[in-house]
Amino acid sequence: MPWYNDLRPQSDDKKIDYALIFPSLNNSDRKRIIKDVLDIRADLDEKIPSKNADSSLLLASWNIKEFGHLKERIPESYFYIAEVINRFDLVAIQEIKSGLDDLFIIMRLLGSNWSYTITDITEGTDGNKERFAYIFDKRKVKPSGLSGEIVLWDKLTKDSAIKQLKRSPAITGFIAGWKSFSLLNIHLQPGKGDASKEFRKEEVRLLMEAIKEKLKRQHFWNENLIMLGDTNLYKNDDDIVDIINKTDFREAENLIGKVTNVSETEVYDRIFLNVDKTFFHLVKDENGKEKGNVYKPFEVIYTEDKRKAYHNFMLAHKDDPSTLVSDETFEKYYHQYWKRNQISDHNPIWIEIKIDSTDEFLRSKLN
């Protein structure tokens, strides 16, 4: 469970020298945070399956906005992010920036059962100084040893204007229960215009060609591939999705068509699977449909009814606070900018993978 010493009453601080991450929190802050932590925990209990020891793995993907770059995150936002991550076993993170302070705070809040792997920064203007990370519960998941990037080569790109993806996809192997698999963490070219779409389409085409060639030559550590992340695919990008599907990937069925950005306009964040069809399955619900969904933190935290508690924070963070002159301007800034800079402008997505294949294995041997 996450680390809650910072949420003890201040009187407790004087009894024992507790290690505090946010020593400046007063009792009023702590009380507000505790109430919202309880709210988000109850919401997660209702909307996310319970973690279990043996039978399944909860896998999530989350673009956390400019993580390690934004300076206005207040202490409670880290608690809420940690609570969400803690409800899964393995989380692929996009848009971690050059600074790692935010990541280190989250890891302290998550506690000693958690670990992470992280890529180097993608340098240059196009790379946007971004990293990919995987945060995982060591009690359920262990890295396989595979860790690297998908890098394009000359023969593949000779007829293309693109020589490398702007943000090199991070591929990392994991083992959980019976299952060995590789996660391919991606953050594709953004933008709705024609030029951006054509660039994104070519990124996907080249990536799929690289994957096909590596599969053909058996150059992957494991051939169970899960591609996930912020694809920046728009509703009219079906032709790009077709390129992925033709490489034997399929989109997690319960996520198809579900909007994932906080504005609820686009299906940016996705999970595609290219896995053994006999032994690698997602857990299904009582209706026979694969489990998976979008989780929306702002349904319980930083809601409209709590907005006025953050007016002073907004005034401190706004470049020109004199523009916050009415309740209407506070409301607009709160929902369109401030709270998204606290958590993210993307919602996390998740699936549940079956990791115990005892029955399938025994039946196959019996047959």
Side-chain angles (χ1 to χ4, degrees):
M1 69 182 72
W3 177 271
Y4 297 120
N5 273 344
D6 286 82
L7 302 185
R8 296 172 179 269
Q10 285 175 290
S11 57
D12 281 10
D13 300 344
K14 299 171 185 175
K15 295 176 185 176
I16 299 176
D17 185 17
Y18 292 109
L20 299 179
I21 301 172
F22 305 109
S24 63
L25 288 176
N26 58 40
N27 276 348
S28 177
D29 294 328
R30 298 178 190 200
K31 185 175 182 179
R32 182 183 67 249
I33 297 169
I34 288 171
K35 287 180 177 179
D36 281 352
V37 164
L38 288 170
D39 283 346
I40 198 168
R41 286 175 62 83
D43 193 58
L44 286 160
D45 283 342
E46 179 183 345
K47 296 173 180 175
I48 307 295
S50 298
K51 292 169 72 171
N52 60 71
D54 300 317
S55 62
S56 69
L57 169 80
L58 288 167
L59 170 65
S61 175
W62 196 4
N63 178 328
I64 305 179
K65 184 179 180 182
E66 296 185 49
F67 206 53
H69 175 72
L70 295 175
K71 301 301 182 186
E72 58 262 39
R73 280 193 173 94
I74 60 178
E76 61 201 79
S77 296
Y78 295 96
F79 284 97
Y80 307 147
I81 292 169
E83 286 293 341
V84 173
I85 291 173
N86 183 65
R87 286 307 170 103
F88 303 100
D89 298 304
L90 172 59
V91 184
I93 307 291
Q94 302 87 46
E95 212 166 293
I96 292 183
K97 303 288 278 186
S98 54
L100 295 177
D101 288 347
D102 283 357
L103 176 65
F104 295 156
I105 290 171
I106 291 298
M107 297 311 300
R108 286 185 66 186
L109 288 173
L110 286 171
S112 59
N113 289 326
W114 289 81
S115 188
Y116 68 92
T117 66
I118 192 168
T119 66
D120 193 11
I121 302 165
T122 305
E123 300 285 1
T125 302
D126 289 342
N128 200 29
K129 291 184 170 63
E130 291 185 23
R131 308 172 187 263
F132 294 104
Y134 300 99
I135 300 176
F136 56 94
D137 188 331
K138 295 185 292 184
R139 295 167 297 182
K140 177 72 70 70
V141 183
K142 63 179 181 180
S144 71
L146 170 71
S147 182
E149 298 178 342
I150 299 293
V151 178
L152 306 180
W153 55 93
D154 293 346
K155 184 178 178 181
L156 198 69
T157 62
K158 65 178 182 177
D159 297 322
S160 176
I162 296 176
K163 301 306 175 185
Q164 296 294 339
L165 275 68
K166 286 188 176 182
R167 304 171 180 97
S168 298
I171 184 166
T172 305
F174 293 97
I175 300 171
W178 285 66
K179 297 298 179 287
S180 300
F181 55 93
S182 299
L183 297 185
L184 188 60
N185 205 347
I186 60 173
H187 190 183
L188 298 176
Q189 167 74 14
K192 203 167 187 176
D194 291 343
S196 292
K197 176 177 178 176
E198 285 307 309
F199 193 99
R200 182 166 56 251
K201 186 174 182 177
E202 182 65 356
E203 280 192 314
V204 170
R205 186 190 72 80
L206 290 170
L207 178 59
M208 292 301 104
E209 288 297 323
I211 288 173
K212 283 192 291 186
E213 188 65 25
K214 286 176 175 290
L215 287 170
K216 177 182 174 183
R217 297 185 182 187
Q218 297 184 324
H219 282 183
F220 284 123
W221 160 79
N222 182 280
E223 293 180 4
N224 287 321
L225 301 179
I226 302 175
M227 185 171 68
L228 73 179
D230 179 4
T231 66
N232 279 310
L233 290 170
Y234 292 81
K235 291 177 181 177
N236 64 347
D237 281 354
D238 289 343
D239 54 334
I240 302 178
V241 176
D242 286 343
I243 297 173
I244 299 172
N245 291 337
K246 288 175 181 177
T247 317
D248 288 336
F249 280 92
R250 66 172 184 87
E251 191 167 0
E253 65 178 20
N254 212 30
L255 292 172
I256 296 173
K258 291 189 175 178
V259 295
T260 64
N261 59 333
V262 170
S263 299
E264 300 205 338
T265 58
E266 298 295 343
V267 191
Y268 288 140
D269 306 273
R270 305 193 183 204
I271 299 177
F272 296 92
L273 302 101
N274 183 335
V275 295
D276 185 290
K277 294 177 176 61
T278 303
F279 286 107
F280 202 105
H281 304 290
L282 302 191
V283 177
K284 295 184 178 181
D285 61 22
E286 60 277 8
N287 298 314
K289 194 168 186 179
E290 293 175 347
K291 289 186 178 181
N293 214 335
V294 182
Y295 180 68
K296 301 176 181 179
F298 290 133
E299 291 185 345
V300 288
I301 57 169
Y302 297 129
T303 54
E304 172 59 24
D305 63 309
K306 299 171 183 176
R307 168 170 57 88
K308 291 186 178 179
Y310 301 106
H311 278 203
N312 286 337
F313 289 112
M314 286 188 269
L315 287 167
H317 295 151
K318 189 83 164 69
D319 289 339
D320 183 2
S322 67
T323 60
L324 298 175
V325 295
S326 65
D327 193 64
E328 182 181 4
T329 56
F330 271 108
E331 180 183 11
K332 182 178 180 181
Y333 179 57
Y334 178 70
H335 289 294
Q336 293 188 5
Y337 299 99
W338 189 81
K339 73 179 187 181
R340 300 182 191 200
N341 287 351
Q342 293 301 313
I343 306 295
S344 184
D345 49 356
H346 289 250
N347 292 313
I349 58 175
W350 62 271
I351 58 175
E352 187 173 10
I353 299 169
K354 185 176 181 181
I355 61 171
D356 181 355
S357 294
T358 303
D359 291 343
E360 291 91 336
F361 175 80
L362 291 175
R363 287 192 189 102
S364 73
K365 298 308 171 187
L366 177 63
N367 291 335

